[in-house]
Amino acid sequence: MTEPSVYTLAHLREWNRSAPSLAVIGSPIGHSVSPAMHNAALAQFADLAGWEYFRFEITPAELPEALAQFAARGFAGINLTVPHKVSAYELIPDRDASACEAQAINTLHFAAGQKPRGYSTDGYGLLRGLAGDFGFEPAGRTVLVLGAGGAGQSAVVALEKAGARIFWYNRTAGKVSALIPRLGLENTYLVNAGQIPWEETGLVINATSAGLREGDGVPVALPAGRRDLCAYDMVYKPAQTPFLREAAARGLRTANGLSMLLHQGAKAFEIWTKKAPPVEVMEAALKKTVYDP
């Protein structure tokens, strides 16, 4: 029987594999290329033979049961993507400092005889990705972050901690107003779409899910002629989102979220396996899957 490319909660309830499993969960999840990256990494280690990484379509209503099932079914760990990062934080009481700072979880580790432990590797992955793609160092720079979901929260916390000043935009302004004090942010400021101080901004990050679906628009109007302004989209598939196409057309420097995916995934791999991640192998697998499928 052919294995499905995307699994569901129904599959999880019947899960029975002898070797440890890993997974990414989200809704939608069919676009995720994390299995290619992690399965390539797992194949580098003889003592991880039999380990495999899967995709699961899990809705918000299914999340509590799914987390319990993953813990009970022999999974070593999971990644969480849209829309589960903040909800998982509320459901998982045992959290690493990285998750507590971001108040979001994108990585869970299930160790035998222990409670599931939550981490946020997104901020680490973003900073490594920005350095590699743009040579961008946050200290003393001003960054505009679009979106206040789990990925946006992690981005803002990591960037401010690294010394950046943040302008934060979200369609629901009240969410940002509440998050700034809740996250203990001291150099982050709410802006609306009509009052973005572009002249002060060196980097704009799309941390919304706009771009995942055909026909998605651009979250805000971008300025023209700013070759010194970098535009980064956390979405990596499609490789050229509407946001990045618009940014390129206006003369901005652009990069998609593949670099963030790589480095957050490498950190997660290290958490699960206690091994140094084979980053070059993981990167090659990602690029082959996204750019040469």
Side-chain angles (χ1 to χ4, degrees):
M1 181 182 294
T2 303
E3 293 280 353
S5 63
V6 174
Y7 292 81
T8 66
L9 180 59
H11 293 112
L12 182 58
R13 288 171 178 149
E14 304 298 326
W15 202 260
N16 184 21
R17 292 175 183 261
S18 56
S21 298
L22 299 166
V24 58
I25 72 171
S27 184
I29 201 60
H31 67 282
S32 175
V33 296
S34 290
M37 166 176 64
H38 284 291
N39 286 326
L42 291 168
Q44 303 303 302
F45 299 94
D47 58 337
L48 299 180
W51 287 51
E52 195 170 351
Y53 188 105
F54 303 90
R55 295 184 294 193
F56 278 81
E57 179 81 21
I58 301 293
T59 68
E62 294 171 334
L63 182 62
E65 180 188 348
L67 294 182
Q69 291 283 358
F70 281 116
R73 298 286 176 178
F75 280 75
I78 61 171
N79 289 131
L80 303 100
T81 188
V82 177
H84 297 317
K85 297 179 183 183
V86 175
S87 298
Y89 180 82
E90 296 166 353
L91 292 168
I92 301 295
D94 187 9
R95 313 165 184 130
D96 178 77
S98 61
C100 292
E101 290 172 353
Q103 294 190 19
I105 288 173
N106 80 316
T107 299
L108 275 174
H109 182 215
F110 303 109
Q114 300 179 25
K115 295 179 179 179
R117 186 164 177 79
Y119 300 79
S120 177
T121 66
D122 278 338
Y124 168 86
L126 176 65
L127 296 182
R128 289 289 304 272
L130 293 174
D133 289 334
F134 298 128
F136 186 87
E137 297 297 335
R141 305 295 298 277
T142 297
V143 181
L144 170 65
V145 176
L146 310 175
Q153 289 180 206
S154 299
V156 169
V157 169
L159 287 163
E160 185 178 292
K161 190 174 180 181
R165 177 175 64 153
I166 315 296
F167 295 124
W168 201 353
Y169 167 78
N170 192 59
R171 285 184 303 175
T172 307
K175 184 174 183 180
V176 169
S177 296
L179 280 171
I180 288 173
R182 187 186 308 162
L183 295 172
L185 300 169
E186 299 179 348
N187 203 18
T188 296
Y189 308 93
L190 169 68
V191 293
N192 63 47
Q195 296 179 327
I196 294 171
W198 288 111
E199 67 282 357
E200 303 173 40
T201 302
L203 168 70
V204 54
I205 297 173
N206 178 32
T208 76
S209 59
L212 283 177
R213 297 173 175 84
E214 189 68 30
D216 281 350
V218 178
V220 296
L222 299 170
R226 286 280 311 276
R227 282 298 300 169
D228 61 323
L229 177 58
C230 300
Y232 189 88
D233 198 329
M234 288 187 181
V235 175
Y236 57 85
K237 191 176 181 182
Q240 285 295 316
T241 63
F243 174 80
L244 292 181
R245 286 196 298 269
E246 178 72 9
R250 291 180 173 271
L252 281 59
R253 299 172 63 195
T254 64
N256 66 29
L258 205 68
S259 57
M260 177 179 174
L261 178 70
L262 168 65
H263 292 294
Q264 67 78 26
K267 178 62 71 174
F269 185 89
E270 183 179 357
I271 290 168
W272 298 325
T273 67
K274 304 300 185 286
K275 297 181 182 294
V279 176
E280 292 183 358
V281 169
M282 298 170 82
E283 182 176 22
L286 283 178
K287 289 182 174 178
K288 179 176 176 59
T289 305
V290 173
Y291 299 125
D292 187 26

